[in-house]
Amino acid sequence: MKKLLFVIMVLTLVAPAVETYASSIPYPTVTYEDDGTETQTQTTFLPLGQFQKDNSLINPEDLFIDAEDQVYVVDSGTKSVIQYSPSGEKIKEFGAGVLQQPTGLYVTEEGDLFVADYGASKIVQFNQKNEIVKEFEKPDSPLFGSRSNFKPTNVVIDRRGNLYVISEGSTNGIIQLSEDGEFLGFYGVNRTQNAFSSVIQEMLSLDTNLFSKNPPAPQNIAIDEQGLLYSITQGAEIELIKKLNVAGDNMLPLDIASDISYVDITVDKHGNMFVIDTDGIIHEFDSFGNLLFLFSGPDEGYNQWGLSQQASSIAVDSNGFLYVADRERGLIQRFGPTAFMNEVHAGIALFKEGLYVESREYWENVLDLNTSFGLAHTAMGRAYFKEQRYEEALEQFTLANDRSGYSEAFWERRHAWLQNYLGLSLLILIGLLIAWSSLKYANRKTGIVAGVRKKVPVPRLLKDLAFVGYFIKHPVDGFYYIRKQQRGSVLSASILYLLLVIIYFYSRLQTGFIFSGAGGSDFVLSRELLIVLGPVVLFIISNYLVSTINDGQGRFKDIYIGTIYALAPYLIFMVPITLLSNVITLNEAFLYQYSVVLIYGWCLMILYFMVKEIHNYMISETVRNILLTIFGMIMLVLVGFILYILLNQVIDFLFSLISEVMVRV
Amino acid sequence: MYKKWCLLLMIPLVLSSSVAGATEGTKEQAVEEIIAEVPQSIFYESNQFTQTTPDQTEQADQEKIGEPYELMAENDRLALYADPKTLAIKTLNKKTGYVWNSGLDNIDDYRLNNTWQQFVQSAVTIDYIDQRGNSKTESIQTNSSQTMVTPTETGFRAFILFIGSNIEMTLEVDLTEEGLSFHIPNEKIDEGKRNLLTSIQLYPFLGASFKTGQEGYMMIPDGSGALIRYGEKSQFADAPFSASMYGRDLSFSNPSGSMNQPVSLPVYGVVHGTNQNGLLTVIESGEHYADLSAYTPGVSTDFYWITPKFHYRYNYFQPTSRDMSGVNVYQDKRNEFDINMQVHVLENEMADYTGMAKTYREKLLADGDLIDREDQYKVRLEYLGSEMKSGLLWNSVVPVTTADQVKSHVDELQASGLSDLFLVYRGWTKGGQSNTLPATFPVEKDIGGEKALTDLHDELKDDGIPLYLYSDFTSANKGAKGYDGSKDVARKANSQLILWNETKYFNEMYFLKPGVSKEHAADSAEEFSKRGLSRMAVDSTGYLLYSDFEKDKESTREEAEAEYKELFASLGENTDAPAVYNPNPYAWSGTYHYLNIPMYSSNYMMTTDTVPFLQIVLKGFIPYYSGYINFQSNQQQDLLRLAEYGVYPSYYVTGESPEVLADTASYDLFTTQFSVWKEDILSKNNRLSEVLKQVENETIEQHEVVSPGVAAVTYSNGKTIIVNYTMEKYEDENAQVEPMEFEIFDQWEGA
């Protein structure tokens, strides 16, 4: 989905927008705005052309950059590992003539090279003199399984010297070997996917073995300075990127990305992750898995630096420069961070350590350069929160769309307010209660209120409208009156329908920040009207049609009136609950959430009674009627849809016929 | 998303408790690591900078010109020889003794198949469509076509009959004082009855160089100008560089997603040995139909070669159904144009990109296409007035900078000592910036209305600060006022309207017929003068060039060019010193200020350098302004580039924070607020004005890179600006420049 959006972004650049990117950069850089929409930002990485000075690479597969910024490249074309100096001069070549099809590489601090040789199905360890120190072949442990394949594509080593091997099709996860080649176990196994679509597929399929339940195998691996492992998986639906702790558990959000085929991952010294996908688009995430920037992409024949034909690997050096290997072109491109990027990274580094206040100056610079950088607002909000400047924190959290931060700051502010005004408000409340009960008492004694009531005749319409309240307690009786036409009229119902729309809009737009979805920004009048009135209209029509052939006694008018009265709980309680949502925090979220569920449930229950009473059904008849009504609703939508498509086809056909005639004749 | 943030907040909370009271040390360390000394050399060794000239090789010994070549013409500088059979030519530069060969001697020594050999050795190669609709290629040599050479006073005229396709044409080659002139007149082309001519290539290998040949480069007019130096660094590409002159004709193409800059100059060049020998080709006629292609070794052949391809028929897409499926067809009628190429033979100090630019400049001046305008240092501030925001029920206007705010900003800047200002006001039309073109008046009332705008104009005029109003006579939005959607919009070859599709924030955008644009410009000028306003900044019209295929009212790009020339000429008379966004050369005669000049090239893998070719042509004649600095990500480097190229700075500014522009068409303005950028405007102005003010109205005489990352630009008054992109201090006998700084010197005698 995100990729799709990115592609759209790129295409829409044709539109007459102001030039906000440097014209020498062949790709836009995209970031997330406060409200989660994608937008362009300053270039974060500049394409700097080819890194290596010679043209000896054929098919670079994997990159490794050591602490001295020397770059090691595994090349399956030359069948060797080539070492480059930081300035791109070739220093040494390893493993020529020994390796068959090397695809992965790790270099230890001591300078030993571990090369995953896919062709030879083993991992070969070289020292700096290009001598073979050790070879790791398929483990013979029974735990590994004699039928499991050992086709290593990538390898990393942790501080204790253990090997973590990515093997092709290893659905059991990452293979963990000891220094001596002993099989230690599988690590970080992926979950089997139980996505909705596959469940449906399985239900419909006769051959139950058609869809294997094996978890997808990890694709590539990286390790950071703290020894945390990162893995990426292609073809999965969740957990495309995993950051694994010692226990092998994922520390990143499950839905970090979707529908993207990642190829390689690398981690800089501050834990920022750079992941490249098959299209060559580079995704930068911070250490918590927030997507920061998207840039670079596929080269569509223009041959420009900064784009890839077939990206195979990505690596980052100690200065924060990125290196991207292109298997097809046989070269390594380098990207340099811009001043803007450095500010962001400095802010992130401090923020990550919890030094919110100290990070603020960097975020302020970042915000000067990009007013709507979401993460900056969150960080600023954290900083203000720590300094107990809650008003400013609230403002920043609102800008960042950060609900939990907002909730915490709001709690603090509410706390302060309560401390100041709690006494006063309690007094007022008690005063009101006393006034109310004394009025009640007086009424009982003297009948003042009742007298007034009698004197002023209430018009029928008002009574009909007020009749809504009756349904809360006595729905069955209520519908009886409606059927007997003693209460409710088409006019009163119509007014209530209008009220329904207004109340829906009110709750849609005025729900407190913490509980509102996207807020008012995606409010499209016609769509919202459809959402609120569509189901109601469908229900009324379908129910009427079903009941007429099902011995229902209700007339169309009754159903029309009855339906809106059945929604009485929504009409009565939605406004107070919306108001409530403005003063509670996430701690009391259940209050809001349960009330909303309760209202909907209540409405459905009354709707059931409505059908039963209006049509004078038995219980079994009612249930059948309701099921048929639902079926009818679905059918109505389906028929409408089919008609729309058919009509479209006809128009399309006529259009092409005419235009072809016009072109050819 | 919500979960993510939750997690994001949880983890630091846990962490912060563990590092509670983290020392200052941690912070400093963390930051230091990030702002660590980044090796600048990686940046200035990229192809976005000019590189040092490698050691020159001795000019190779030239073979004697003999059979089958015959002497055709001769003057003091040059001698022209031709092979009457293939029409291949050799040109001897008498001063240097260098021979420019349109083909190859000893062609069998190279890896070229028959087709390529014929292509290389023939003067003309054509593409055509045969009766069955197949595309075919034919060179003079392919079927040993007949040629009939008639010597003329200054060269020769050759009649060519292509045997295979039965297409006839006449090629005229003349020797001039400057070099060569190639001419294929349109009326002498006869396609016969069966075949359709689609394109012509003329002397494609003139100036070609073998992959391990001499030192030198090809110059392509990409961005500000780019070089493809011979050597390993330019041999990665697997496809040629290819670009249409003045951008692709919108009548034949769908907008593509490419972010490349269009080629705006009809020139290209070749250097064989820096300051030894060079060629500069100017396409004088037919450039509207030309694609420029540059090939490097590895792309088709082992040679560096560059040539234009002239299209007589374009292929275009004819949709036949609403879901946009359809067929590709060729134009029925041939494009009518003469081919006329002027090849300037350059030698010694003129044989480099500076020399080429100077040669082109002289030519433009002689032809009256470049006129000397007042060139004064100014800082351009481009203000966004207001923007349209679609609302729940109706659209509203978001004012971002009112006329009063502009005035107060100017006052603030003047108080701080900056009064060399050049202001452009956008979004002043009723309804805001977007989706209102081509309408002009009335003025949007939320920015103050007409009164405030004219008052602002007059007050600034008293201070000597010009206020330009943003205009565009080419684009028109769906639903906007000021044009007739059925009559005024140009049509594509497939008879669809020329348009850009609707996007989230933009309505469909149409492109007006050039004649309509002209009238519209005249009307606007009148409206302006009625209100006492006088200055316009014109977007799109200066760089968009397209033909129109409305039935019976067709017009070509050439005709469009003529209309636009008149448009700008009359603007120059009826308004004050018009400013134009990226004008193509045909609009230069009406341009007094060049806005958004390119300062980089498009990062093609085959290019090795970016050079200020365009800047050398224009400097001293038309003042030029940069793109918007505030959107740049490497501010310091960009500042140095402004000084190196003599570009005046530009900012895109608003009074309010651009946050208010969310959910409008200008949502992508991420940093524009004046209060944020004021200090930067002042400090950059301080640095630039002290240097660039000293070279106002002067031309660039020499641009060179004295050592990697250090550029020296010498002006006609003898002053030299030295720009140091490195992290080390630059020192030579009479100049010192601090790291990442620039300095101007009165007398600099070279490194």
Side-chain angles (χ1 to χ4, degrees), chain A residues 14 24 42-43 50 55 288 302-305 309 321 339 356 362 368-371 382 404 523 652 656 659, chain B residues 8-9 11-12 19 31 34 38 48 236 238-239 256 260 320 322 392 601-605 633-634 658 670-671:
Chain A
V14 188
S24 61
Q42 280 97 341
T43 304
Q50 178 169 265
N55 285 350
F288 307 111
Y302 292 104
N303 282 283
Q304 283 167 296
W305 290 117
Q309 250 176 15
F321 283 63
Y356 304 131
Y362 295 97
D368 276 354
L369 292 168
N370 188 339
T371 334
R382 284 276 125 197
S404 61
F523 192 96
D652 210 39
S656 13
S659 59
Chain B
L8 165 73
L9 291 165
I11 293 174
V19 285
V31 177
I34 285 171
V38 171
Q48 294 304 315
F236 306 117
D238 44 27
S256 77
N260 305 341
T320 51
R322 227 164 43 126
L392 262 186
S601 64
S602 307
N603 234 319
Y604 290 109
M605 297 179 87
S633 42
N634 272 356
F670 39 80
T671 171

Side-chain angles (χ1 to χ4, degrees), chain A residues 460-533:
Chain A
R460 165 86 195 252
L461 181 63
L462 262 182
K463 274 192 198 163
D464 283 349
L465 290 177
F467 189 55
V468 168
Y470 190 72
F471 282 82
I472 300 297
K473 278 187 190 162
H474 316 286
V476 179
D477 291 359
F479 290 118
Y480 174 80
Y481 290 126
I482 285 182
R483 199 152 68 93
K484 294 284 170 221
Q485 301 196 20
Q486 290 175 357
R487 286 292 168 86
S489 66
V490 174
L491 179 66
S492 70
S494 301
I495 292 174
L496 288 174
Y497 277 116
L498 187 70
L499 199 64
L500 174 75
V501 173
I502 293 170
I503 289 174
Y504 173 76
F505 282 0
Y506 174 75
S507 74
R508 176 78 176 66
L509 295 172
Q510 290 300 317
T511 299
F513 174 73
I514 299 172
F515 299 99
S516 61
S521 62
D522 62 344
F523 192 96
V524 180
L525 193 63
S526 52
R527 194 180 64 202
E528 300 293 332
L529 275 175
L530 198 71
I531 290 176
V532 57
L533 288 182

